[in-house]
Amino acid sequence: MPAYLAIIIAFAILFALGAIFGLALYFASIFLAVKEDKRIKAVAAMLPNANCGACGHPGCLQMAEALVKGEEKDPSACKPGKEAANFAPIREYLKSHPEPIYEEDNA
């Protein structure tokens, strides 16, 4: 077998494997996608974003997640936050959006 033929066969095999695994990853990303509640990011944006951990959570995103899920009842557990600037808007937002909000597409 000529050397150039072995190179072409190797290239074809690698190309086919790459295409198969690429398609497998594409379909896995569609079927295994995790839907995240949009309220978590909205509440996290209302927190002071100090990521200090004084509330008992590792950071503000985890505090927002706990507030949205109902694990944390009062946003005033956040020590650097202020009532008028942070806590009141969060309470109002959670009262006006009691149900989870998910994105319609996987984009």
Side-chain angles (χ1 to χ4, degrees):
M1 174 179 353
Y4 69 89
L5 189 58
I7 293 172
I8 291 173
I9 291 172
F11 179 76
I13 290 172
L14 287 176
F15 180 79
L17 284 173
I20 290 169
F21 287 128
L23 284 172
L25 285 173
Y26 170 73
F27 287 115
S29 72
I30 291 174
F31 294 117
L32 301 175
V34 176
K35 294 182 179 179
E36 185 174 317
D37 191 350
K38 285 182 166 183
R39 298 179 303 161
I40 295 172
K41 287 185 181 177
V43 171
M46 294 180 213
L47 287 168
N49 290 315
N51 288 325
C52 61
C55 61
H57 298 280
C60 291
L61 187 63
Q62 290 79 15
M63 172 70 169
E65 188 174 347
L67 285 167
V68 168
K69 289 182 177 179
E71 297 168 359
E72 184 77 46
K73 299 295 181 194
D74 192 19
S76 63
C78 175
K79 304 297 184 224
K82 306 289 183 224
E83 178 64 37
N86 305 108
F87 307 147
I90 291 172
R91 286 188 193 106
E92 289 300 318
Y93 180 79
L94 290 176
K95 283 181 187 175
S96 64
H97 297 86
E99 297 297 319
I101 303 169
Y102 296 110
E103 292 184 23
E104 294 299 320
D105 60 321
N106 293 333

